[in-house]
Amino acid sequence: MKNRTFIIAVALCAGIFFATSFANAGKLLEEAKENFAPLPKAPVEKASNKLNEEKVELGKMLYFEHRLSKSSLISCNTCHNLAGSATDNLETSVGHKWQKGPRNAPTVWNAALHLAQFWDGRAEDVEAQAQGPVLAGVEMAATQDLVLQRLKSIPEYVDRFTKAFPGDNSLTYTHMADAIGAFERTLLTPSPFDAFLGGDKKALSDDEKKGLKLFMDKGCVGCHNGVAVGGNSYMTFGVENPYKNQKDVGRFNVTKDEADKYSFKVPSLRNIELTYPYFHDGKVWELEEAIGIMGWTQLGVKLSDKEIGSIAKFLGSLTGTIQVELPNLPPSTASTPKPLLDVK
Amino acid sequence: MKNRTFIIAVALCAGIFFATSFANAGKLLEEAKENFAPLPKAPVEKASNKLNEEKVELGKMLYFEHRLSKSSLISCNTCHNLAGSATDNLETSVGHKWQKGPRNAPTVWNAALHLAQFWDGRAEDVEAQAQGPVLAGVEMAATQDLVLQRLKSIPEYVDRFTKAFPGDNSLTYTHMADAIGAFERTLLTPSPFDAFLGGDKKALSDDEKKGLKLFMDKGCVGCHNGVAVGGNSYMTFGVENPYKNQKDVGRFNVTKDEADKYSFKVPSLRNIELTYPYFHDGKVWELEEAIGIMGWTQLGVKLSDKEIGSIAKFLGSLTGTIQVELPNLPPSTASTPKPLLDVK
């Protein structure tokens, strides 16, 4: 009898606990839905760059196409490596002739969802972005002429551009970038947090839920919100306290507006645990340190180690990788311009 | 009536033609089978490196693992790019600090079938080969210590090595190379020529068959035979006439035997149309030019353009690529040694 009472009591307690836990999870979910949105089910198109299968496949080939670089050694995938984080996990990237670039390479996963591209937002979308690194002297160091000569010398590309961009002038530099952008728009990585936002309250662990609550309560969500958990605004790095290594004037270079000095696009936090090192300069390797710096520079609060750990737990729920199959790139022909390594 | 006779006559002629053609194809197939062998249906194991699924998957990850290089930027796939020819299609490879290597990077497709690895055969198999480039100063420039520190700092690798190599000391430099070798053994690319050798007489076009006949009649098959159409012997480059650019003493460096001066492993011709530029020095970009040089230096014959074209047609039937899915590489941890780019 005693036993039975005990069991009933335990069952009641458990019932109350679970009910409370569920009610809280429900409230948390509601609050989360006010601040965030799950990944779209399908890629978001650009009106002037409608997606089709041929274009996306061509874009994938071009993404891995090392012949878009002067050396024929560097492709988009060199610095935005899809075998992992879609970054190079370097402080700043290394390009043509082993030159070091000025800023950290952001991940391409979900990048199409940002309000603009590059740390300073100087390209309006992934299509515009893809035109940049191919020509940048410290990156792929090519010229439009070289790239077009290479692509036009390869019959399979001529054919694929014609199919992806029907019309008179299919194989252009802009279309090259449009195809790459089209492929990048498909690189969406659903995570446990998306399942949670979709209504699956068990998709996050209790620790992750606590971290999410703290992330919202502390004000991180002020900038890191929306579908990409960031990526939808610009913000001065050092609103409350200066960043230790503040040299780069950021978006000021684009707008020449004093108010934009040291301002950068707020990074998306999707897959953030994979995309170290952090910040535009890649000077911070640990996620925990980055969270602490953010609290201090942007919110003016000294987060405790426990709070930092809890927020990091939540950020882990934003990780979601997908499998990518390598394309088979078509061979060069006798008229394909040769690699130019610029070495003796 | 006239028409009918005409039709019968045509039918008879066609019948005779096809019968002859088939008889010839049959004879050609028999001759081909005496000289070549189709790819094995399954990867060929090394007795001391039994294949299993965990090992092959781990090997694939390590093949794409840029953290095996000092810079954390270069992986096996950088110079043996599986998005195409499994080479870098450069004269000679570019490695750490943009240094140029001494010899052309051979393809990894089907490489496990060769009698030895590297142009000079200094590694006995793909497992032994995989130990080399990781440590070579002009390639990945790492040390065994650095590589092991990196891998041991990543829990997923510790776990995967334990599963792939059960025992006390799973995560070793040798096992790293064994896993890469295991993966490489799976990289077999069946081609139309394999279908032909398997009995499908229509797998080769008439032009390809003519080329095959010529390839055997002219004596190319003297060295380029067996399952890899080469890769199973060493030969002096310049048996009959000297090669234009003969500086590299080749296998002599390994054996110190005068007879091995300017001797190299006979390259496999599988996928040869994809793996330009040609020869150990990568100085020849066109397959037709390479065939002409081979005829002159190795056989002492001046092949006509028509003969060269015909042989090239046959060589095209040795192309067969496969699809490879990129692995998802696990993230570094706080204790993972950082990239060392050796730049200021």
Side-chain angles (χ1 to χ4, degrees):
Chain A
M1 188 65 187
K2 236 185 186 173
N3 261 355
R4 210 171 157 188
T5 313
F6 177 73
I7 289 165
I8 292 169
V10 167
L12 269 173
C13 286
I16 291 163
F17 173 79
F18 280 117
T20 318
S21 169
F22 262 65
N24 286 348
K27 207 178 141 195
L28 184 70
L29 176 55
E30 286 317 305
E31 196 183 340
K33 282 163 99 169
E34 284 166 23
N35 288 294
F36 307 103
L39 282 182
K41 298 282 179 217
V44 179
E45 288 185 322
K46 180 183 179 179
S48 61
N49 189 32
K50 291 284 178 197
L51 301 188
N52 61 59
E53 216 175 294
E54 286 84 5
K55 197 188 283 185
V56 170
E57 184 58 28
L58 171 61
K60 180 161 96 168
M61 294 171 75
L62 295 170
Y63 189 90
F64 286 95
E65 185 47 84
H66 43 90
R67 285 165 293 192
L68 301 187
S69 65
K70 186 177 185 185
S71 65
S72 289
L73 183 62
I74 301 172
S75 71
C76 304
N77 194 64
T78 303
C79 299
H80 304 280
N81 188 350
L82 299 182
S85 61
T87 75
D88 50 17
N89 294 121
L90 297 178
E91 193 172 279
T92 65
S93 296
V94 171
H96 191 69
K97 295 203 288 178
W98 209 257
Q99 294 173 90
K100 211 163 174 251
R103 288 188 189 135
N104 178 263
T107 181
V108 170
W109 299 127
N110 315 296
L113 302 174
H114 301 186
L115 87 160
Q117 302 298 313
F118 294 115
W119 278 97
D120 54 15
R122 68 184 183 275
E124 66 178 347
D125 50 33
V126 285
E127 285 82 359
Q129 190 280 335
Q131 295 195 21
V134 175
L135 308 180
V138 296
E139 299 185 55
M140 295 163 77
T143 62
Q144 290 198 23
D145 270 0
L146 179 65
V147 166
L148 292 176
Q149 275 182 52
R150 292 232 178 99
L151 293 174
K152 285 179 179 174
S153 71
I154 299 167
E156 186 175 330
Y157 275 126
V158 174
D159 187 46
R160 284 181 178 271
F161 271 90
T162 307
K163 282 175 183 147
F165 300 96
D168 279 349
N169 199 4
S170 300
L171 208 170
T172 65
Y173 188 76
T174 308
H175 284 164
M176 174 209 78
D178 285 352
I180 293 172
F183 169 61
E184 290 180 343
R185 285 175 185 275
T186 69
L187 300 177
L188 303 174
T189 63
S191 68
F193 188 53
D194 293 291
F196 180 75
L197 291 173
D200 177 1
K201 291 173 193 159
K202 291 180 185 164
L204 297 193
S205 71
D206 283 349
D207 280 348
E208 289 165 343
K209 283 176 193 156
K210 277 182 205 158
L212 165 59
K213 185 86 177 64
L214 204 57
F215 186 86
M216 294 191 291
D217 289 350
K218 287 286 178 186
C220 312
V221 75
C223 291
H224 294 285
N225 53 44
V227 64
V229 194
N232 56 356
S233 65
Y234 301 98
M235 191 52 61
T236 307
F237 195 175
V239 177
E240 297 292 338
N241 292 293
Y243 174 53
K244 62 176 179 178
N245 185 42
Q246 198 54 290
K247 295 172 195 159
D248 188 334
V249 293
R251 190 158 167 74
F252 173 78
N253 282 336
V254 182
T255 63
K256 304 297 172 199
D257 182 341
E258 279 292 324
D260 287 333
K261 243 178 188 165
Y262 311 115
S263 170
F264 295 91
K265 185 177 66 176
V266 173
S268 163
L269 297 184
R270 286 189 175 271
N271 297 304
I272 194 71
E273 68 174 354
L274 304 179
T275 61
Y276 55 85
Y278 301 108
F279 305 136
H280 63 279
D281 57 6
K283 290 284 185 200
V284 174
W285 285 82
E286 301 312 321
L287 183 54
E288 288 74 10
E289 188 186 346
I291 295 169
I293 291 173
M294 281 283 99
W296 183 240
T297 61
Q298 306 309 99
L299 301 168
V301 297
K302 288 262 184 206
L303 295 168
S304 71
D305 286 354
K306 200 179 158 193
E307 289 170 329
I308 288 173
S310 180
I311 291 172
K313 276 270 184 332
F314 160 61
L315 296 180
S317 78
L318 298 174
T319 300
T321 48
I322 49 173
Q323 294 288 160
V324 176
E325 204 170 60
L326 279 176
N328 283 324
L329 303 178
S332 295
T333 64
S335 59
T336 307
K338 302 286 180 281
L340 296 164
L341 290 167
D342 295 335
V343 284
K344 284 160 206 163
Chain B
M1 187 66 186
K2 238 183 183 171
N3 261 355
R4 210 173 155 185
T5 314
F6 176 72
I7 289 166
I8 291 169
V10 168
L12 268 173
C13 287
I16 291 163
F17 172 79
F18 280 117
T20 318
S21 169
F22 261 64
N24 286 347
K27 208 178 140 196
L28 184 70
L29 176 56
E30 287 315 307
E31 197 183 339
K33 283 164 98 169
E34 284 165 23
N35 288 294
F36 308 102
L39 282 182
K41 299 282 178 216
V44 179
E45 288 185 322
K46 180 182 179 178
S48 61
N49 188 33
K50 291 285 179 197
L51 300 188
N52 61 59
E53 217 174 292
E54 286 84 4
K55 197 188 282 184
V56 170
E57 184 57 27
L58 171 61
K60 180 161 97 168
M61 294 170 74
L62 295 170
Y63 188 90
F64 286 96
E65 186 45 85
H66 42 92
R67 286 165 292 191
L68 300 188
S69 65
K70 187 177 184 184
S71 65
S72 289
L73 183 61
I74 302 172
S75 71
C76 304
N77 194 63
T78 303
C79 298
H80 304 280
N81 187 349
L82 299 182
S85 61
T87 75
D88 50 17
N89 295 120
L90 297 177
E91 193 174 278
T92 64
S93 295
V94 171
H96 191 71
K97 295 204 289 179
W98 209 257
Q99 294 173 89
K100 213 164 173 251
R103 289 187 188 136
N104 178 264
T107 181
V108 170
W109 300 127
N110 314 296
L113 303 173
H114 301 185
L115 88 160
Q117 301 298 312
F118 294 115
W119 279 96
D120 54 16
R122 68 183 182 276
E124 67 177 346
D125 50 34
V126 285
E127 285 82 358
Q129 190 280 335
Q131 295 195 20
V134 174
L135 308 180
V138 296
E139 298 184 55
M140 294 163 79
T143 61
Q144 290 198 23
D145 269 359
L146 179 65
V147 166
L148 292 177
Q149 275 182 50
R150 290 229 179 101
L151 294 174
K152 285 179 178 174
S153 71
I154 299 167
E156 185 175 331
Y157 275 126
V158 174
D159 186 48
R160 285 182 177 271
F161 271 89
T162 307
K163 281 174 183 148
F165 300 96
D168 279 347
N169 199 3
S170 300
L171 209 170
T172 66
Y173 188 75
T174 309
H175 284 163
M176 173 209 78
D178 284 353
I180 294 172
F183 169 61
E184 290 180 345
R185 285 174 184 275
T186 69
L187 299 176
L188 303 174
T189 64
S191 69
F193 188 52
D194 293 290
F196 181 74
L197 290 173
D200 178 1
K201 292 171 191 159
K202 290 178 186 166
L204 297 192
S205 71
D206 284 349
D207 280 349
E208 289 166 342
K209 284 176 191 154
K210 277 182 204 158
L212 164 60
K213 185 86 176 68
L214 204 57
F215 186 85
M216 295 191 289
D217 289 351
K218 287 287 177 185
C220 313
V221 75
C223 291
H224 295 284
N225 53 44
V227 65
V229 195
N232 56 355
S233 65
Y234 300 99
M235 190 52 61
T236 308
F237 194 175
V239 177
E240 296 292 338
N241 293 293
Y243 174 53
K244 60 176 180 177
N245 186 41
Q246 200 51 292
K247 294 171 197 159
D248 188 334
V249 293
R251 191 158 165 75
F252 173 79
N253 282 336
V254 180
T255 63
K256 305 297 172 197
D257 182 341
E258 279 293 324
D260 287 332
K261 243 179 187 168
Y262 310 116
S263 170
F264 295 90
K265 184 177 68 175
V266 174
S268 163
L269 297 183
R270 286 188 175 271
N271 298 305
I272 194 71
E273 68 173 354
L274 304 179
T275 61
Y276 55 86
Y278 301 107
F279 305 137
H280 63 279
D281 57 6
K283 289 285 186 200
V284 174
W285 283 82
E286 300 312 319
L287 182 56
E288 288 75 10
E289 188 186 347
I291 295 168
I293 290 172
M294 281 281 101
W296 183 241
T297 60
Q298 306 308 99
L299 300 168
V301 297
K302 287 262 186 206
L303 295 168
S304 71
D305 287 353
K306 199 178 158 193
E307 289 169 330
I308 288 172
S310 180
I311 290 172
K313 275 271 185 330
F314 159 61
L315 296 180
S317 79
L318 299 174
T319 300
T321 48
I322 49 173
Q323 295 287 161
V324 175
E325 204 171 60
L326 279 176
N328 282 325
L329 303 179
S332 295
T333 64
S335 58
T336 307
K338 302 285 179 284
L340 297 164
L341 290 167
D342 294 335
V343 285
K344 285 160 205 162

